[in-house]
Amino acid sequence: CSFYIHLNFPSGEQLCAAIDGFLRDSLLPEIDDPALKYGLRVCLHSLGIVQRELRCGEAVTTQERNGLQALLGRDDERDVRALRRALCDAIAGGEVDIGDRRLLWALQDIAAAKLAVDNPKYHPVPVAGNNNNA
């Protein structure tokens, strides 16, 4: 097993880039069937999301965790799913007002970070007063 320690394996991002290059440069130009070409373009788009998720996913999760922790005042909780549930419970219980600008700003920041991975060409319009996504 120690034999594998010395090998340099490509990262997930590098593997996706190689697959993307082959599909885009070698396969896509050779396809004449419109339905098949469309399907391949959907696959390429999805592969782009995977690449951005590999590159940015951890940072996006960290940003969401930090935003939810600050909003809820729960620095002790690290699990993002638990923080999401806590936010829903706080809203349902009236502890967090859905009209609170801090809530709107936090949710916009989280959504903008996730959209940057899914669709980097989309630029959200900031909620008034939120300069994080201006």
Side-chain angles (χ1 to χ4, degrees):
C1 254
S2 62
F3 156 85
Y4 290 106
I5 294 173
H6 302 292
L7 296 178
N8 247 346
F9 291 105
S11 68
E13 195 174 343
Q14 290 169 325
L15 290 170
C16 287
I19 293 167
D20 182 277
F22 171 75
L23 294 175
R24 190 176 306 280
D25 301 337
S26 298
L27 193 56
L28 189 61
E30 299 299 319
I31 296 176
D32 294 326
D33 180 350
L36 194 55
K37 192 169 255 194
Y38 174 78
L40 183 55
R41 288 184 194 277
V42 170
C43 289
L44 286 166
H45 176 75
S46 299
L47 189 58
I49 293 172
V50 171
Q51 287 175 287
R52 291 185 297 277
E53 183 68 36
L54 288 169
R55 186 177 334 113
C56 307
E58 192 172 321
V60 169
T61 300
T62 299
Q63 180 181 344
E64 180 178 6
R65 180 185 311 110
N66 293 344
L68 292 174
Q69 285 174 330
L71 188 64
L72 295 167
R74 301 227 1 224
D75 293 342
D76 59 321
E77 182 61 66
R78 306 278 308 151
D79 181 33
V80 173
R81 287 186 208 148
L83 288 164
R84 289 177 192 151
R85 281 191 301 276
L87 178 60
C88 290
D89 292 343
I91 292 170
E95 299 164 45
V96 173
D97 179 8
I98 60 170
D100 184 339
R101 288 273 187 213
R102 293 176 313 126
L103 172 64
L104 296 175
W105 294 339
L107 294 178
Q108 183 183 36
D109 291 344
I110 291 166
K114 291 181 179 203
L115 278 168
V117 171
D118 292 344
N119 185 359
K121 293 178 183 176
Y122 177 79
H123 299 287
V125 176
V127 174
N130 185 1
N131 295 323
N132 292 339
N133 292 310

